[in-house]
Amino acid sequence: MKHVLLIVLFFSLHAVTAQVFNVEAIKISGDDDKRINLVILSEGYQSGELTQFITDATNFTNTMFGQSPFSQYANYFNVYAIKIPSNESGADHPGTATNVTEPYNNLPTKYVDTYFNATYDSFGTHWLLYYEIDGNSANNTHAKISTVLANNFPMYDQAMILVNSTEYGGSGGDFPMAYTGFWGARVVMHELGHSLFDLKDEYYPGDLLAAEAINMTQETDPNLVRWKNWLGTNNVGIYQYTCDTGNCADWYKPHQNCIMESIDKPFCPVCKEGIIEKIHSLVSPIDAYSPISNSVSNPSFPIDFSLDLIKPNPNTLESTWNLNTVEIATNTDAVSILETDLNAGMNTLTVAVTDATTLLRVDNHETFHVYTVTWSIDNSALGVKDITREENKFNISIYPNPTNNIITFKAENSLDTDLKVDLISIEGKKVKTVTLSNYETQNIDISHLSEGIYIAKFYANNVFIVSKKIIKN
Ligand SMILES: [Zn+2]
């Protein structure tokens, strides 16, 4: 999806021998520019073993997408495998680990000639399987990996390396690496948690790596902690880190059974939410829509407007269709507009799509994402002569919710326009209207309102975008 490595690509175009390898699709959900593209590179597979690599990459993919939240959001990902042959099989095992007694596991010392020079015993740890020997950047394997990607699949979002070895091992960083055995995929999922989804370790990672993050904080107030919406659900709490050395007592995590602590565990609810948030920020659930033509001359009625959505499984997307700010349909992928539905002159049809998954704490979730398509329909006396459309994305934050006096609104939108917010009481009465500038945080005093439920309705250029429930207590 992402267009990265342009500089590397530029130089590689001038290289004499840009190595091109066979790229095989393992899992295709849609166009590469509308999906998160994971790319698996082979290491330590000889030419004759590349069929086994595809089997291993497929098993890896099945394991990953059997795990929540990837199982629900599998349609947002493509997976490719780049078949890179090595001269010899497996990975180096120098036998120099200091954390075990070598030879460990009856594994002989060996050096093999492989493409990325993967090795066990990195930094003295037997199962640290890594591609720069003891962090020696003189090996330039990182650059070599980048070059392979630039020459063979520059649109990758995340690349990882599968090593043809049954001995447990793996490592993280820009390019997670793992052995092919049972835990390999789970090692990589943990590392993807860091590299693609901005999660922290839920074991203490050391003072240098401790920082405020989705699943790590110094805040201990249950009303303020960033995962407050989850407290008390599925064992989410505010758990102090433990460690032998360092300032771990200052830091807290949301769970005690998360894959970000131990790879035999699932993702905890807070990490799942973080992953889904990132998926939404990378990929719009609107894959395509119709019509896209900028000019439809004298179409016949009814005119069909439709969406092609990237649906989670089960489908948790909700859509709301508004014609001239009047809601005409919900949770449907298509509407038909009759000539009698239209006003004379300019009409606006907007569909807004949100994800109502319970894996996000929707009702009091801090930032929600709304994806819209708006069609402007010019209904002239001579019939519809022009339909234009635009696609937009809105990130809207409402907090704290519930509240008893001040509520804060913040909106970011790709239209770069002000939003109008109407606050509607449960009886349907408009109690407040606020104008919200793009990227601006605005604090609204609602202390004078009576307790109860209110609906905040958001409009952009007088076009209804979305409504959200607010609780005044
Ligand atoms: Zn977690």
Side-chain angles (χ1 to χ4, degrees):
M1 195 207 72
K2 203 164 51 180
H3 300 260
V4 292
L5 284 175
L6 291 176
I7 294 165
V8 178
L9 180 64
F10 175 78
F11 284 113
S12 66
L13 288 174
H14 296 263
V16 185
T17 51
Q19 270 193 296
V20 175
F21 300 107
N22 201 333
V23 179
E24 198 160 311
I26 303 291
K27 165 184 165 55
I28 297 293
S29 302
D31 290 347
D32 292 337
D33 60 352
K34 298 219 169 163
R35 294 297 185 282
I36 298 168
N37 298 305
L38 305 181
V39 177
I40 305 173
L41 312 180
S42 61
E43 161 68 347
Y45 289 83
Q46 295 183 50
S47 300
E49 295 172 316
L50 289 172
T51 308
Q52 181 61 42
F53 166 59
I54 294 303
T55 303
D56 293 340
T58 303
N59 289 339
F60 170 90
T61 302
N62 291 341
T63 301
M64 176 169 170
F65 289 97
Q67 182 77 26
S68 180
F70 301 120
S71 50
Q72 288 91 353
Y73 290 85
N75 289 335
Y76 287 73
F77 291 84
N78 290 336
V79 183
Y80 294 90
I82 303 184
K83 300 202 273 188
I84 304 154
S86 288
N87 291 328
E88 296 182 286
S89 302
D92 291 351
H93 178 230
T96 53
T98 51
N99 70 320
V100 295
T101 306
E102 295 276 13
Y104 181 71
N105 222 1
N106 293 321
L107 199 70
T109 295
K110 66 171 177 176
Y111 292 91
V112 285
D113 177 10
T114 59
Y115 196 85
F116 296 119
N117 201 20
T119 182
Y120 289 91
D121 301 342
S122 292
F123 299 94
T125 300
H126 179 71
W127 38 81
L128 195 50
L129 177 62
Y130 191 49
Y131 50 79
E132 304 277 18
I133 299 169
D134 291 351
N136 180 3
S137 61
N139 295 312
N140 281 325
T141 313
H142 191 284
K144 193 172 183 181
I145 297 166
S146 298
T147 303
V148 167
L149 290 165
N151 288 335
N152 294 276
F153 202 96
M155 275 178 76
Y156 79 96
D157 290 282
Q158 176 72 54
M160 57 207 84
I161 301 166
L162 199 55
V163 181
N164 184 20
S165 172
T166 54
E167 177 75 3
Y168 177 87
S171 60
D174 291 344
F175 306 115
M177 178 175 252
Y179 81 125
T180 56
F182 179 76
W183 298 106
R186 304 189 58 89
V187 169
V188 171
M189 276 191 273
H190 171 102
E191 299 301 341
L192 288 183
H194 297 306
S195 56
L196 192 54
F197 300 108
D198 311 321
L199 303 175
K200 286 286 184 184
D201 286 314
E202 293 185 28
Y203 59 83
Y204 192 61
D207 293 348
L208 282 176
L209 291 174
E212 289 290 331
I214 290 163
N215 61 336
M216 186 176 200
T217 190
Q218 293 188 307
E219 179 61 65
T220 55
D221 183 339
N223 296 309
L224 296 175
V225 71
R226 55 178 73 229
W227 51 80
K228 64 182 189 302
N229 298 343
W230 290 101
L231 289 178
T233 311
N234 297 330
N235 299 315
V236 173
I238 304 172
Y239 299 101
Q240 194 172 41
Y241 278 88
T242 55
C243 59
D244 295 329
T245 54
N247 299 320
C248 61
D250 295 343
W251 294 96
Y252 298 83
K253 59 187 180 177
H255 215 270
Q256 293 180 303
N257 285 294
C258 179
I259 193 173
M260 296 314 291
E261 176 168 3
S262 176
I263 61 164
D264 59 343
K265 303 294 195 297
F267 283 102
C268 77
V270 172
C271 291
K272 282 184 194 177
E273 180 175 71
I275 290 170
I276 296 167
E277 285 288 84
K278 188 67 186 281
I279 292 171
H280 284 326
S281 74
L282 291 172
V283 179
S284 166
I286 301 175
D287 203 11
Y289 50 90
S290 174
I292 55 166
S293 157
N294 276 338
S295 182
V296 179
S297 305
N298 300 314
S300 55
F301 285 94
I303 308 174
D304 292 331
F305 295 83
S306 65
L307 288 181
D308 199 350
L309 296 176
I310 306 175
K311 290 180 179 165
N313 181 24
N315 181 23
T316 46
L317 297 181
E318 293 185 344
S319 58
T320 309
W321 297 78
N322 279 262
L323 180 61
N324 298 327
T325 80
V326 177
E327 185 177 299
I328 57 167
T330 53
N331 300 335
T332 176
D333 292 351
V335 295
S336 279
I337 302 295
L338 301 170
E339 193 159 17
T340 50
D341 294 332
L342 298 177
N343 299 329
M346 197 57 84
N347 295 262
T348 305
L349 175 69
T350 294
V351 60
V353 178
T354 55
D355 187 352
T357 177
T358 53
L359 297 176
L360 301 176
R361 282 285 158 114
V362 162
D363 278 352
N364 52 359
H365 178 51
E366 280 195 358
T367 302
F368 53 92
H369 306 280
V370 188
Y371 306 84
T372 63
V373 180
T374 295
W375 289 272
S376 299
I377 309 164
D378 185 0
N379 185 31
S380 73
L382 300 171
V384 174
K385 63 177 184 194
D386 201 28
I387 299 173
T388 58
R389 91 296 188 214
E390 60 182 27
E391 200 174 350
N392 291 296
K393 183 183 174 193
F394 300 82
N395 298 329
I396 297 172
S397 305
I398 302 177
Y399 56 91
N401 188 16
T403 184
N404 56 11
N405 52 1
I406 303 290
I407 188 144
T408 302
F409 290 139
K410 187 184 177 194
E412 303 169 3
N413 67 81
S414 53
L415 271 174
D416 200 22
T417 187
D418 293 351
L419 295 191
K420 186 176 74 127
V421 190
D422 283 343
L423 216 50
I424 314 283
S425 71
I426 201 77
E427 296 83 23
K429 197 171 138 224
K430 193 191 292 182
V431 294
K432 203 166 188 66
T433 294
V434 178
T435 301
L436 202 55
S437 298
N438 203 15
Y439 291 103
E440 199 173 278
T441 300
Q442 200 168 134
N443 299 319
I444 316 294
D445 186 354
I446 59 169
S447 55
H448 61 287
L449 298 179
S450 42
E451 288 183 13
I453 294 171
Y454 294 83
I455 305 293
K457 294 185 118 180
F458 292 80
Y459 298 84
N461 300 329
N462 288 322
V463 174
F464 172 80
I465 302 301
V466 72
S467 63
K468 281 289 152 188
K469 192 163 74 180
I470 291 172
I471 297 168
K472 163 79 165 57
N473 58 14

